[in-house]
Amino acid sequence: MLLVGALLGAAIGVLRGVPDVEGMRAEAPASCAAPVEARPEVRWIEQAEAHGMVEDVAVTFVDARSRDAYEAGHVAGALNVPMETGAIDERATSLVRGSRVVITYCDTSGDCASSKRLAGLLAEAGLPDVRVLRGGMPGWLENGYAAEAGPCRVCP
């Protein structure tokens, strides 16, 4: 019985293919690198750690997606600062200025240029602790974390 199970497992492994371990190793250093090359003080934040901060009033989540995407669903209480133009104004910066931590995110589970650009601009504006949510909104939803839909109540 044990032998049949082992042979069946090996056959399934062959059919599915062997993972590219070397490729995974080559990608690992990039995932540890700062998300904003020009701003090494901006760091990644993992989904579980960010979820643990969602109730903290000193932490602000900022959605870099379009207004339509934000209204369809976002981290509960998040601000919306769309990165469609690649720039932010003083009003957007002033909304997060008193936050101890600012967490930016967007709509891709991989490397999201919008959330990284927003994080870099906020750090450049002098915010002391800006982070980029690894996995973005897709990761948030996959983890079953709370989200809400509707317009932003206090957005620039």
Side-chain angles (χ1 to χ4, degrees):
M1 181 70 102
L2 207 50
L3 181 62
V4 172
L7 290 173
L8 186 58
I12 291 172
V14 168
L15 290 174
R16 288 187 178 167
V18 178
D20 180 10
V21 175
E22 289 304 312
M24 288 182 203
R25 285 188 189 128
E27 292 175 18
S31 66
C32 295
V36 181
E37 189 175 310
R39 293 275 170 199
E41 70 273 20
V42 174
R43 299 175 293 151
W44 290 106
I45 186 168
E46 300 300 327
Q47 293 278 332
E49 184 181 0
H51 183 254
M53 301 169 98
V54 78
E55 297 292 326
D56 188 338
V57 295
V59 176
T60 302
F61 285 78
V62 185
D63 191 320
R65 301 174 303 152
S66 71
R67 183 86 54 206
D68 289 342
Y70 174 89
E71 289 179 0
H74 53 270
V75 174
L79 298 176
N80 181 223
V81 180
M83 283 282 85
E84 293 158 342
T85 64
I88 58 174
D89 59 21
E90 180 53 39
R91 181 153 190 265
T93 305
S94 68
L95 287 171
V96 296
R97 183 135 339 256
S99 302
R100 181 176 47 80
V101 177
V102 176
I103 300 170
T104 66
Y105 67 91
C106 66
D107 61 357
T108 62
S109 58
D111 192 28
C112 179
S114 296
S115 58
K116 290 167 45 173
R117 173 80 177 142
L118 178 56
L121 291 170
L122 292 170
E124 187 177 304
L127 279 90
D129 191 352
V130 182
R131 305 179 195 186
V132 177
L133 180 62
R134 193 183 305 273
M137 192 64 189
W140 191 264
L141 296 173
E142 287 170 13
N143 285 311
Y145 297 153
E148 63 185 9
C152 188
R153 294 180 287 274
V154 190
C155 290

